[in-house]
Amino acid sequence: MPQTYRPLAAALWMIGSILSFTGMAIAGRAVAGVHDTFEIMLWRSVVGFCLVLVIAGTAGRLHEVRRDRLPQHLLRNVVHFSGQNLWFWALTAIPLAQVFALEFTSPIWVILLSPLFLGERLTPVRLLAAALGFAGAMLVARPDFTAIHPGVLAAAASAICFAGSIILTKALTKGESIVSILFWLTLMQTGLGLIASGWDGAIALPSAATLPWLILIGAAGVIAHFCLTTALSLASATVVVPIDFARLPLIALVGMVLYGEPLDIWVLIGGAVIFGANWLNIRAENRRQARVV
């Protein structure tokens, strides 16, 4: 249990994460024709690392960066780097709502694995919230599993990686500051991006057209992870993660407006189910915490 347990505040921080990840998806599509996924991750991490240095340095918090848990940071960042590359590639291969729907299978993995790796209790309400959220996601996207597209497999694999990353991040928040987590996130993934994008001997430099989008990706990535990490420090992973389901109706609307992807009544129905699942989970956790106090 976190020392400061505030599920509602965690939900508000997750709104910032949702908006940031949505902006990153839009920018990722904008640069996909020029940069491959490894290059996107490289420049995203470079921008993110500069932002962390400037912001943490200005706030006088760089002293919070620790080196005694580097193996944990490395494992977390390798898992996240893999998932993020799969996610960026899936954005270019299948509709946005389908990518996000498949990504949102990750809370199922988080809820099932958290008791094993984080010692969090698996309650009936948490299971119900996860099941309802996933059902809402499927109502919105309705992916066709009879004809498996490579983009579907990539999005599904990214979900498993993101679940592992969330569990490892939650473990790191016990004793590690957000500044330290973001510092190693951006620095290590800059190194991973450099290795992965340079294996063929050619790295596409940002152009006048792609630079603003790459800056947006980098900034959105840092903001999203700051919001997510803050939320995880305020509530359990099984409370925080299902809130992210609200990102699906939003991206479905973005897909319709910007890319002409279809939007129908099922998006609204699925969004209502997602909202209900999140509210049920947060309300139950608030009641449980009130009884403990």
Side-chain angles (χ1 to χ4, degrees):
M1 183 73 66
Q3 286 185 332
T4 303
Y5 190 73
R6 299 165 58 195
L8 184 57
L12 294 176
W13 278 107
M14 283 304 295
I15 293 175
S17 177
I18 288 166
L19 294 175
S20 298
F21 278 124
T22 301
M24 192 161 58
I26 295 170
R29 272 204 172 182
V31 302
V34 179
H35 300 282
D36 61 34
T37 58
F38 293 137
E39 291 167 351
I40 293 173
M41 284 297 294
L42 169 62
W43 300 121
R44 172 204 177 201
S45 300
V46 168
V47 171
F49 184 63
C50 292
L51 285 174
V52 170
L53 286 180
V54 170
I55 296 172
T58 302
R61 297 183 60 184
L62 281 177
H63 68 278
E64 296 177 14
V65 177
R66 295 169 48 180
R67 292 179 291 178
D68 57 320
R69 300 176 73 181
L70 286 180
Q72 289 176 268
H73 282 288
L74 180 59
L75 176 60
R76 186 256 181 181
N77 284 301
V78 168
V79 171
H80 181 267
F81 182 82
S82 301
Q84 196 71 75
N85 274 284
L86 289 165
W87 185 79
F88 273 123
W89 186 81
L91 287 176
T92 68
I94 56 178
L96 289 178
Q98 195 170 7
V99 173
F100 278 48
L102 291 166
E103 177 193 346
F104 288 148
T105 59
S106 61
I108 303 300
W109 292 102
V110 171
I111 287 174
L112 294 175
L113 294 175
S114 288
L116 296 176
F117 294 98
L118 299 177
E120 295 183 358
R121 197 159 57 92
L122 192 60
T123 65
V125 173
R126 287 173 174 176
L127 280 173
L128 177 60
L132 286 175
F134 180 72
M138 292 298 102
L139 284 173
V140 172
R142 300 187 308 283
D144 180 11
F145 292 106
T146 61
I148 303 297
H149 188 283
V152 170
L153 296 176
S158 74
I160 297 174
C161 291
F162 289 149
S165 175
I166 288 169
I167 289 173
L168 291 167
T169 300
K170 179 63 179 177
L172 280 169
T173 60
K174 299 175 181 178
E176 195 86 357
S177 75
I178 294 173
V179 170
S180 185
I181 291 172
L182 291 176
F183 177 90
W184 293 115
L185 165 76
T186 52
L187 179 59
M188 288 183 174
Q189 295 201 16
T190 294
L192 291 170
L194 186 62
I195 294 169
S197 60
W199 72 273
D200 59 355
I203 300 177
L205 297 176
S207 65
T210 64
L211 182 59
W213 292 112
L214 291 171
I215 291 175
L216 174 59
I217 290 172
V222 170
I223 294 170
H225 282 279
F226 176 79
C227 293
L228 174 60
T229 305
T230 301
L232 286 169
S233 70
L234 295 172
S236 66
T238 46
V239 172
V240 169
V241 176
I243 297 171
D244 202 32
F245 278 121
R247 184 156 43 110
L248 184 52
L250 176 60
I251 202 64
L253 289 170
V254 169
M256 181 192 70
V257 173
L258 297 184
Y259 309 111
E261 296 175 356
L263 174 66
D264 56 32
I265 189 63
W266 290 107
V267 172
L268 301 179
I269 295 173
V273 173
I274 291 165
F275 176 81
N278 290 327
W279 178 250
L280 175 68
N281 202 28
I282 293 172
R283 186 179 179 184
E285 289 297 321
N286 275 326
R287 286 180 174 178
R288 188 172 67 87
Q289 180 63 15
R291 289 196 299 268
V292 171
V293 174

